[in-house]
Amino acid sequence: MKKTLTLHLPAISVEVNGSEGQTQDELRKLGEEAVIKQLTKDFPRYQWSMTEGTVIKDEDVVCGRPVKMKSSGEVGIIYEVKPGTKYPVRILINGEKEIQCTHAAIDKVSKKASIDKLIKGRQEWEKSTGEWLDVRTGYFVNGKDIIPVVLNARGRGKMKAYKIDHESKGSYYHLTASNILRLFDTKLEAEDYASMLHNR
């Protein structure tokens, strides 16, 4: 029976006595040693939670990363992470279903899982408007590259298209009125556009 215990510790401040000429990294290491000493002497108050099984690591919870819902097995793409909220992870499933959850509710997806199967484009009614609304997936043409992206069109006119990848680090394209024309619903449309550009 494997469980994961998560401790939510408050910020910890310590004083360090460094000598002149020490680098920031050397001072940080002194600080880490001081924190360990402080924690062993006087452990601070904290909040905690316990979860069945393992929990996905923080560094794996980034926009553009495919993940699987533990409860249903559905695979989706992280499109937003809001630390400090009750449900900090926002996931798009099947191109239209948005779910908010905690780290404990999701798992990593096998790197063999096809990303192309997760790209659904827009609904037909959205295509007729010519707009990209809400949270959607598509393909962005960047030169000769055709990149699967998850688009978060919410938030004060700033549109970001996060690269979808099993090793995603949260990199994105800022979409503007001109480069949004390089965003497509299907890979075929993106390939046609890229080959048209290449043949000019």
Side-chain angles (χ1 to χ4, degrees):
M1 167 177 82
K2 190 178 253 187
K3 294 184 182 287
T4 300
L5 178 67
T6 304
L7 303 180
H8 304 277
L9 299 170
I12 300 170
S13 299
V14 292
E15 288 182 17
V16 292
N17 292 318
S19 57
E20 202 163 314
Q22 281 187 301
T23 66
Q24 292 279 347
D25 200 44
E26 291 169 332
L27 290 171
R28 181 185 52 81
K29 286 179 184 173
L30 285 174
E32 288 174 359
E33 291 169 12
V35 166
I36 291 168
K37 284 180 186 173
Q38 183 174 323
L39 286 174
T40 55
K41 282 184 189 173
D42 184 24
F43 205 80
R45 294 179 131 199
Y46 60 90
Q47 293 181 334
W48 65 279
S49 60
M50 191 172 298
T51 314
E52 293 293 327
T54 58
V55 174
I56 192 168
K57 295 177 185 167
D58 283 346
E59 60 264 22
D60 291 326
V61 180
V62 292
C63 293
R65 184 78 57 103
V67 291
K68 179 171 66 175
M69 298 299 299
K70 286 182 179 178
S71 60
S72 65
E74 293 176 292
V75 176
I77 302 159
I78 299 173
Y79 69 85
E80 190 172 33
V81 180
K82 289 192 164 190
T85 59
K86 187 173 182 179
Y87 300 108
V89 186
R90 295 351 197 250
I91 300 167
L92 181 67
I93 293 178
N94 202 25
E96 61 183 358
K97 183 172 150 187
E98 296 176 41
I99 293 179
Q100 297 182 11
C101 63
T102 63
H103 292 54
I106 57 176
D107 232 336
K108 288 174 105 176
V109 172
S110 164
K111 291 181 183 172
K112 294 178 184 175
S114 169
I115 287 176
D116 286 335
K117 288 183 179 177
L118 300 174
I119 311 302
K120 304 294 183 184
R122 295 171 288 179
Q123 303 290 316
E124 286 303 320
W125 67 269
E126 289 174 293
K127 290 179 190 177
S128 66
T129 68
E131 300 286 324
W132 286 85
L133 307 169
D134 286 334
V135 179
R136 294 290 176 249
T137 53
Y139 292 92
F140 186 72
V141 178
N142 187 28
K144 294 180 183 177
D145 297 327
I146 297 169
I147 300 153
V149 294
V150 60
L151 174 73
N152 189 349
R154 295 185 182 141
R156 300 189 205 107
K158 292 180 181 174
M159 295 174 70
K160 293 179 179 177
Y162 290 92
K163 295 179 186 180
I164 300 172
D165 190 283
H166 290 291
E167 298 296 323
S168 177
K169 302 288 186 229
S171 55
Y172 60 88
Y173 297 98
H174 268 294
L175 295 181
T176 62
S178 61
N179 71 7
I180 199 167
L181 301 174
R182 299 183 346 232
L183 187 61
F184 297 92
D185 294 287
T186 67
K187 193 169 192 175
L188 183 61
E189 292 169 345
E191 288 170 342
D192 288 347
Y193 178 80
S195 67
M196 179 192 74
L197 287 178
H198 186 66
N199 293 330
R200 278 187 179 175

